Amino acid sequence: MTPATRIAEALRGRSHVLLLGHVSPDGDSLGSTLALARALWTCGQHATVGSADGVPTMYRFLPGSERIQTALPDGATYDAVVFMECSSPERAGALAARAAGVPLWVNIDHHVSNSGFGDLIDHDPAAAAVGELVYPIVREFLPTLDAGTATCLLCALLTDTGSFRYQSVAPGTLRIAADLVAAGASVAEVYEQVYENRPASALHLLGKALDRCALAEEGRVAWTVVTQAMLRETGAVMEDSEGIIGALRGIAGVEVAALFKEEPDGIRVSLRARGRVRAHVIAGAFGGGGHAAAAGFTGHGSLDDVVRQTLEVVQRELGAVSES
Ligand code: 5GP
Ligand code: MN
């Protein structure tokens, strides 16, 4: 039995499945969670999807996203919980506490930094998206895939692969994508909904952030910030910062791109790496995690302090890969 068939078998017949994605949700977390929930719903099973930070505007086109809950009713009980794209249970944020006492924990993830928690684990760091791992589980429930579920899975794959451009894209990724398109999902539509449906304020924010971009380590590092003041000046919200870090990563010679976002609870740091540099090692030094190519953490202290401390660890990682 594969991990996918084992998970499908364990979820079948459960009376109430709770599916949790991670905080600051992305297209993979939301698309994968929703696809599995839709499969359960189609088979007449009771399932609830929780996202502690809700659904960013750019993902509200996902069919079924209006059923995603940011808080769960007090009396509700569950007989299985699925942690989607959570390297540890805490990544589900405030909703993680609702998993206490649930008899079956399922952990589906592709982050190298996954802690291996749970009763049933499907962890594959080689998967380009969690959507790739969820696809065969969904197919156990839906031998015939509907266009809505295919759209959720295509969103997972497309957003986590930089629109099928990253190193992580393998023949299997494209084979699944082909199946999803054959089932009625559209690459053009998902791309347009996610990336070409932005408020003008997001572009103004991008302009300001690029204006403040600084280089370090002889051009091997590029970094910038999004402050609360920049949000006020542009009328943008933090979720509009999507796209900034990708632009930094595209600078010739840059091996590490870092974006520092000033949030009420700390400084959210996003890291992207190219070549042999391991972003998850840098993030891990601050209690975060992720992949070699993309990772993140929350820093505490002033923006200047977090920037300085991060650049020190980045310098160490650059040194480590230069020597090896
Ligand atoms: P992003 O920069 O897009 O928020 O995150 C990049 C990658 O790192 C994503 O795969 C995300 O799940 C992971 N990541 C971001 N922040 C954290 C964190 O605080 N802890 C862990 N474990 N992973 C994170
Ligand atoms: Mn992912």
Side-chain angles (χ1 to χ4, degrees):
M1 258 211 265
T2 64
T5 50
R6 209 170 295 135
I7 289 171
E9 201 160 279
L11 294 180
R12 211 185 290 280
R14 295 265 159 186
S15 54
H16 193 177
V17 180
L18 175 62
L19 300 113
L20 299 175
H22 61 71
V23 288
S24 306
D26 61 10
D28 190 22
S29 174
L30 292 167
S32 297
T33 318
L34 209 44
L36 184 50
R38 290 176 57 95
L40 291 164
W41 293 333
T42 302
C43 293
Q45 286 192 231
H46 190 22
T48 296
V49 183
S51 169
D53 289 342
V55 182
T57 316
M58 64 207 278
Y59 300 118
R60 295 207 184 133
F61 74 99
L62 291 174
S65 60
E66 67 287 349
R67 294 176 67 174
I68 295 179
Q69 302 183 18
T70 49
L72 301 167
D74 276 343
T77 56
Y78 312 95
D79 57 356
V81 56
V82 179
F83 286 92
M84 201 67 88
E85 244 216 322
C86 293
S87 47
S88 63
E90 298 72 46
R91 289 283 292 153
L95 299 182
R98 298 306 296 265
V102 175
L104 177 75
W105 286 30
V106 180
N107 165 4
I108 308 174
D109 191 24
H110 67 147
H111 291 105
V112 255
S113 53
N114 191 282
S115 68
F117 69 96
D119 306 302
L120 280 177
I121 305 170
D122 192 353
H123 176 226
D124 182 2
V130 164
E132 243 180 75
L133 304 176
V134 170
Y135 175 74
I137 305 175
V138 165
R139 293 311 300 263
E140 290 287 325
F141 289 95
L142 303 180
T144 309
L145 201 59
D146 65 280
T149 305
T151 298
C152 293
L153 288 168
L154 189 63
C155 174
L157 263 53
L158 184 134
T159 54
D160 246 34
T161 57
S163 307
F164 301 103
R165 289 176 299 123
Y166 294 165
Q167 289 288 352
S168 55
V169 174
T173 320
L174 297 171
R175 279 192 201 103
I176 294 173
D179 287 353
L180 300 174
V181 172
S186 157
V187 172
E189 233 165 73
V190 171
Y191 185 89
E192 191 178 330
Q193 290 284 355
V194 177
Y195 299 114
E196 296 181 327
N197 201 10
R198 316 186 67 195
S201 53
L203 276 290
H204 294 139
L205 182 67
L206 174 66
K208 275 196 191 291
L210 294 184
D211 210 34
R212 291 182 65 159
C213 167
L215 295 177
E217 302 299 321
E218 292 156 339
R220 295 172 76 189
V221 181
W223 64 275
T224 192
V225 297
V226 173
T227 62
Q228 291 296 318
M230 289 162 74
L231 297 181
R232 280 194 299 277
E233 287 160 19
T234 53
V237 291
M238 203 48 103
E239 74 183 52
D240 295 330
S241 58
E242 168 76 40
I244 296 172
I245 196 160
L248 302 191
R249 188 181 179 269
I251 300 171
V254 163
E255 292 169 59
V256 181
L259 174 64
F260 299 89
K261 296 183 278 190
E262 189 185 38
E263 302 257 28
D265 60 339
I267 311 296
R268 281 284 317 148
V269 184
S270 284
L271 299 164
R272 300 292 181 268
R274 288 203 289 188
R276 288 158 59 219
V277 181
R278 300 156 303 171
H280 66 282
V281 171
I282 302 166
F286 300 95
H291 314 278
F297 67 92
T298 301
H300 300 286
S302 72
L303 182 59
D304 286 348
D305 283 346
V306 174
V307 170
R308 189 176 40 76
Q309 289 160 7
T310 306
L311 293 181
E312 278 169 18
V313 176
V314 168
Q315 184 187 39
R316 232 188 290 145
E317 172 64 9
L318 285 174
V321 297
S322 303
E323 281 162 20
S324 64

